Amino acid sequence: MDLANRRHGHMETEPSDSPAAAATCPRWVMLNRHSHRQFADAKTTTSASSHTSTGHLFRVSFRLVPPPACSTFYSDWAGSDNVPNQDPQIVASHGDYLLLDVTLPNRKYDTIVTDYFLYEAGGGSVQPLPALSLLPTCFFPKAFQRGEETGCRATPKQRHLWKDDTGVLRRSSGEVTVAQLEVPKPEGWKVRDKAELCVIDTGSLEWELHREIPIVFSDATAGKAEELMAWWETDVAVPVGDRFLCFVDYFRGFPLCDVVALGLRYVPLPVEHPNGCPNFDDDRPCISCMQMFRNLAAAGAGAVRFVTVDSRCCCGAAGKSTCETGQFLFTVTTWTLSLDVDEEAAAWVKDGVLDCEEIWAMPGYGSLPRRQLTFPIWSCDDPDIVCFMVRNAAYRYGKDRKVWMLEIDIRSKTMRSVALYNNVEDQAEYQVAVKLQC
């Protein structure tokens, strides 16, 4: 179903697989980005179906359970030929909306087609049932593609939306905005102080490309702009309230994007940023590993919260220990930043520090592995709750691999609950915090 048909009342959805599920629906869930193929015995609590741009009928379903247990995302291609090898994935989310990537072969042209769908969980008076809505394809080229050779026979290339640089924002008006940020590298050695936003709104259903949007730096960061942006890589887009998207580089900070005014203001993180390319620094994790140790999320409509898991030495100092017994020692630190105040007055407030020895001594931790916690995820329901992952010894895959998900109250320094991850072959690392209705 596409959004245009939906506005005229044509809705192709399926009702919840379990009508009674609403009574036990969790307030928020941790959902794996990658879907599983639907099996007949899979118990789901909500689902919706639609057709791809090539006519394939597919369905997405969810089995929702309270954190720290992980909910499951299913896809079903029953009745469709030549189904894709890559199952639907979550690109971005906000509230009860998910942006899904559905990639499949196009037999007619022997090509690969990628569709992007908005999944709305529903449950309200306006949208009582879940719905899948196909977004129009975007053909605006990225900055690095505009210099490629073109001609009268050139076929427009589809613009792909990546989980690293694409965000979803649910507006107070009921409309939904999808935006992708690009910070182009200018010719020569000029400062990367301008960005591009490719945006679509469900009210207009037309893609727009906004070029050369200035990134505004405060007095405190203006002198570091060149250094900060030289190695910029966006890791994730975080929605805040109904107006802002934070395009986060977990090393350096984030341009705070005002989706309404189309403005970008740079906000630093409360941690030291690396000089030069961090991939060449053996003392810091690589860019692709940063989400193992850091997470930023909304804290209400006008603030963000940030958490880091940092190695420490056996003597208590910062930095990884060189001795074998101290190689898994760490601290967890959390901060909050209000986005409602003037940019010069805004300051990160450190909420607390939790040492690994305190965590291991918590009632409920028991015989769990005394290893570094990873992949922190903020609760969508309680600003003091962070969920973590811990796995046994050196096992990453296979039958001997075990993964536990922990729910910790950072403020009271207590263990709320522990759950054994139930799919040892799955990638427990790729979880998204969402608020889906059953």
Side-chain angles (χ1 to χ4, degrees):
M1 184 198 73
D2 58 38
L3 289 172
N5 286 336
R6 178 180 159 192
R7 288 203 306 269
H8 289 87
H10 303 292
M11 184 180 304
E12 185 178 351
T13 64
E14 291 187 4
S16 168
D17 290 342
S18 177
T24 58
C25 184
R27 296 173 65 90
W28 74 286
V29 298
M30 293 192 301
L31 196 63
N32 197 293
R33 285 188 181 273
H34 307 280
S35 64
H36 299 267
R37 292 293 172 94
Q38 175 79 62
F39 296 101
D41 59 347
K43 297 180 180 180
T44 59
T45 55
T46 179
S47 65
S49 62
S50 187
H51 286 88
T52 67
S53 60
T54 55
H56 290 79
L57 176 65
F58 78 104
R59 180 179 64 168
V60 296
S61 306
F62 304 90
R63 184 179 65 86
L64 306 180
V65 294
C70 298
S71 298
T72 311
F73 173 23
Y74 294 102
S75 60
D76 181 5
W77 294 88
S80 294
D81 297 327
N82 295 319
V83 298
N85 293 325
Q86 176 180 305
D87 295 315
Q89 302 180 47
I90 299 172
V91 178
S93 65
H94 187 204
D96 56 357
Y97 278 89
L98 302 175
L99 176 64
L100 304 181
D101 173 320
V102 182
T103 301
L104 67 162
N106 185 342
R107 294 179 61 188
K108 183 177 180 181
Y109 298 105
D110 193 25
T111 58
I112 298 296
V113 176
T114 300
D115 289 338
Y116 294 97
F117 286 83
L118 273 177
Y119 172 85
E120 182 182 0
S125 58
V126 177
Q127 180 61 42
L129 296 178
L132 269 175
S133 306
L134 176 64
L135 292 177
T137 302
C138 180
F139 292 104
F140 286 118
K142 286 195 169 185
F144 73 90
Q145 296 172 321
R146 288 197 284 268
E148 297 178 356
E149 183 179 354
T150 59
C152 60
R153 296 183 180 180
T155 302
K157 295 182 179 180
Q158 178 183 12
R159 186 185 184 107
H160 292 281
L161 308 177
W162 308 114
K163 65 180 180 62
D164 300 343
D165 57 13
T166 305
V168 172
L169 187 68
R170 181 176 184 176
R171 309 283 299 283
S172 58
S173 61
E175 298 178 354
V176 179
T177 297
V178 176
Q180 183 180 47
L181 177 80
E182 182 182 8
V183 185
K185 294 183 179 179
E187 295 182 1
W189 294 95
K190 297 180 181 178
V191 179
R192 298 168 72 186
D193 58 357
K194 293 182 175 62
E196 297 187 358
L197 276 175
C198 195
V199 179
I200 190 172
D201 190 278
T202 56
S204 64
L205 286 180
E206 292 184 2
W207 284 99
E208 297 180 352
L209 179 61
H210 303 276
R211 299 174 60 178
E212 296 194 351
I213 302 175
I215 302 176
V216 178
F217 293 87
S218 67
D219 292 342
T221 58
K224 302 178 181 179
E226 182 175 359
E227 178 184 340
L228 289 167
M229 304 307 294
W231 300 100
W232 183 271
E233 294 287 345
T234 308
D235 293 311
V236 66
V238 178
V240 182
D242 65 350
R243 185 165 181 163
F244 298 110
L245 279 170
C246 303
F247 292 95
V248 185
D249 178 328
Y250 276 127
F251 274 121
R252 298 168 183 83
F254 57 90
L256 177 64
C257 176
D258 186 330
V259 175
V260 177
L262 290 178
L264 293 168
R265 172 166 62 90
Y266 172 78
V267 179
L269 291 175
V271 291
E272 181 183 358
H273 67 272
N275 294 321
C277 179
N279 282 334
F280 300 139
D281 188 345
D282 294 335
D283 293 331
R284 299 183 65 89
C286 63
I287 293 175
S288 61
C289 298
M290 285 311 297
Q291 296 190 51
M292 288 182 63
F293 308 106
R294 296 181 178 180
N295 185 266
L296 185 137
V304 292
R305 48 198 172 180
F306 181 58
V307 57
T308 66
V309 181
D310 300 301
S311 298
R312 72 162 175 83
C313 182
C314 52
C315 66
K320 193 169 184 177
S321 178
T322 57
C323 66
E324 183 176 353
T325 57
Q327 61 179 318
F328 300 121
L329 300 178
F330 65 93
T331 57
V332 175
T333 310
T334 60
W335 292 265
T336 301
L337 175 71
S338 174
L339 302 177
D340 294 331
V341 299
D342 179 78
E343 61 179 293
E344 296 297 337
W348 287 96
V349 177
K350 183 182 290 189
D351 299 317
V353 178
L354 192 57
D355 188 76
C356 59
E357 298 286 356
E358 297 176 277
I359 295 174
W360 296 338
M362 289 178 178
Y365 197 92
S367 59
L368 294 181
R370 296 198 169 193
R371 297 174 61 89
Q372 189 173 40
L373 303 187
T374 56
F375 295 98
I377 298 180
W378 284 102
S379 165
C380 295
D381 190 51
D382 189 326
D384 297 325
I385 299 297
V386 184
C387 293
F388 300 89
M389 185 188 86
V390 64
R391 66 172 184 260
N392 60 325
Y395 302 112
R396 186 175 178 86
Y397 300 106
K399 64 180 182 179
D400 294 322
R401 174 183 186 246
K402 287 187 178 181
V403 174
W404 292 266
M405 310 302 292
L406 285 59
E407 186 180 37
I408 296 178
D409 188 318
I410 301 296
R411 186 176 297 275
S412 65
K413 298 187 176 184
T414 56
M415 180 84 68
R416 293 278 294 267
S417 58
V418 178
L420 178 66
Y421 194 74
N422 58 1
N423 189 340
V424 296
E425 298 299 333
D426 196 14
Q427 295 171 310
E429 296 87 350
Y430 303 104
Q431 304 296 324
V432 183
V434 296
K435 300 191 74 170
L436 294 183
Q437 299 294 322
C438 293

